Amino acid sequence: MTIYLFGVQYQEYTKINQIHKFACDYLSDWFPNLGSYQAFCNRLNRLGGAFTRLSELLLEDTQPNDCIIDQCLLDSMPIITCSGKRKGKVANEVTNKGYCSTKGVYYYGMKLHMLGIRRQDALPFPEQVLFTPASVNDIVVYKERWSEMRNRTFFGDKIYMHNEFNQQVKSQYNSEMLTPIKAIKGMPLIIKQRIKAADDLYNRAVSKIRQPIEAMFSWLIEKTDIQRASKVRSTKGLMVHAFGKLTATFLNYVLNP
């Protein structure tokens, strides 16, 4: 785990073979029993649960003082094992086919869902992170895992707009979901033109508040290449890929808040 996290965090390697080669070339005195690349991969694949727990520990009791604890940002990103044009054959227990609206592509893999606490002019603090099969809709995760949180204001994209359910959450838990406004089909043109300025202003305000979680995903991709899992060959390997790189990112986050 030390070698893997050091390789991702400090050497900015995104592939296990790069990390193993670096350790063989420069860390052999510290790790004389490192073994072959295959042995290194086998050892890592047994540590998925350890990476999961370590990622949780890194966030416990490290919440920055500038967190706005009653405001949360929601978003998701794909973890792609192969293109949607092919049949996914890896880690079928935890993956399936989904659609990424941002990229406009179908893919096989998982989806990373994040609930981040808003911070002023900074990346959000990741309060909770979940992985689901790619087909699981963001609104389903919100309904099942986060909608019962009390006294929160959630900021999400248009997929979280579900007026009846959101009104129910507001009534029962005093929590509100704010999303950009969708155009209503069949609305007369004159009414659209009348409310367009107000809607545009509101949408820009919500998008500005949500921008830090999008920036956090971009940072996560840049640092770890977590989105690309095409080299993974097993469920255990996918868990190490997902939670190992997430752990390395949280380590960076904790050391450099």
Side-chain angles (χ1 to χ4, degrees):
M1 290 181 71
T2 301
I3 294 171
Y4 182 89
L5 293 173
F6 184 83
V8 175
Q9 166 68 12
Y10 293 102
Q11 298 304 126
E12 298 186 359
Y13 291 136
T14 60
K15 297 181 175 62
I16 295 177
N17 61 347
Q18 295 173 322
I19 297 171
H20 180 263
K21 185 178 186 305
F22 173 82
C24 289
D25 291 345
Y26 300 103
L27 306 179
S28 57
D29 290 344
W30 290 357
F31 301 97
N33 299 320
L34 180 62
S36 66
Y37 171 65
Q38 289 74 17
F40 184 68
C41 290
N42 289 336
R43 291 179 183 181
L44 278 178
N45 286 345
R46 295 197 294 266
L47 294 173
F51 279 116
T52 303
R53 182 56 183 148
L54 181 55
S55 67
E56 296 170 351
L57 291 172
L58 285 172
L59 296 181
E60 291 180 4
D61 302 321
T62 60
Q63 181 174 303
N65 294 327
D66 61 350
C67 284
I68 307 174
I69 59 175
D70 61 345
Q71 296 185 16
C72 300
L73 313 180
L74 303 177
D75 209 347
S76 68
M77 61 177 283
I79 310 295
I80 302 172
T81 57
C82 77
S83 166
K85 297 178 181 179
R86 300 161 51 194
K87 176 65 175 178
K89 298 180 180 179
V90 174
N92 289 328
E93 305 95 318
V94 294
T95 65
N96 60 20
K97 188 174 183 179
Y99 179 74
C100 176
S101 58
T102 302
K103 296 178 176 292
V105 297
Y106 287 93
Y107 70 98
Y108 279 92
M110 299 194 302
K111 189 182 289 186
L112 184 159
H113 304 264
M114 181 177 291
L115 173 73
I117 300 177
R118 186 186 176 201
R119 300 170 63 201
Q120 193 68 39
D121 301 322
L123 296 178
F125 177 74
E127 184 177 9
Q128 291 187 32
V129 177
L130 303 172
F131 289 96
T132 67
S135 65
V136 176
N137 196 291
D138 294 4
I139 188 66
V140 173
V141 174
Y142 168 66
K143 288 181 177 180
E144 294 181 353
R145 299 301 297 267
W146 297 324
S147 63
E148 294 183 6
M149 291 181 169
R150 295 183 177 276
N151 305 315
R152 300 281 187 113
T153 300
F154 299 101
F155 295 87
D157 57 22
K158 291 180 180 180
I159 200 168
Y160 295 98
M161 180 179 286
H162 193 297
N163 290 336
E164 184 177 347
F165 180 79
N166 291 339
Q167 289 172 5
Q168 180 182 340
V169 170
K170 176 70 173 177
S171 174
Q172 292 184 358
Y173 304 105
N174 194 36
S175 290
E176 186 175 14
M177 171 63 75
L178 300 180
T179 71
I181 298 172
K182 283 184 179 180
I184 300 176
K185 292 182 179 180
M187 178 182 290
L189 180 60
I190 189 172
I191 296 179
K192 285 184 179 180
Q193 294 173 337
R194 185 179 303 164
I195 64 177
K196 183 179 186 301
D199 286 353
D200 288 348
L201 185 64
Y202 174 84
N203 289 346
R204 284 197 296 270
V206 172
S207 297
K208 183 177 180 179
I209 292 174
R210 288 192 65 255
Q211 190 276 333
I213 197 166
E214 297 174 354
M216 186 166 192
F217 283 160
S218 297
W219 177 63
L220 179 58
I221 293 168
E222 178 184 351
K223 288 292 184 182
T224 68
D225 203 21
I226 191 174
Q227 235 178 8
R228 297 175 60 183
S230 58
K231 300 297 184 182
V232 170
R233 293 294 177 264
S234 68
T235 300
K236 290 182 179 180
L238 183 58
M239 292 299 100
V240 170
H241 173 88
F243 284 103
K245 292 190 173 182
L246 202 61
T247 301
T249 305
F250 289 168
L251 183 63
N252 188 315
Y253 193 94
V254 169
L255 295 176
N256 305 284

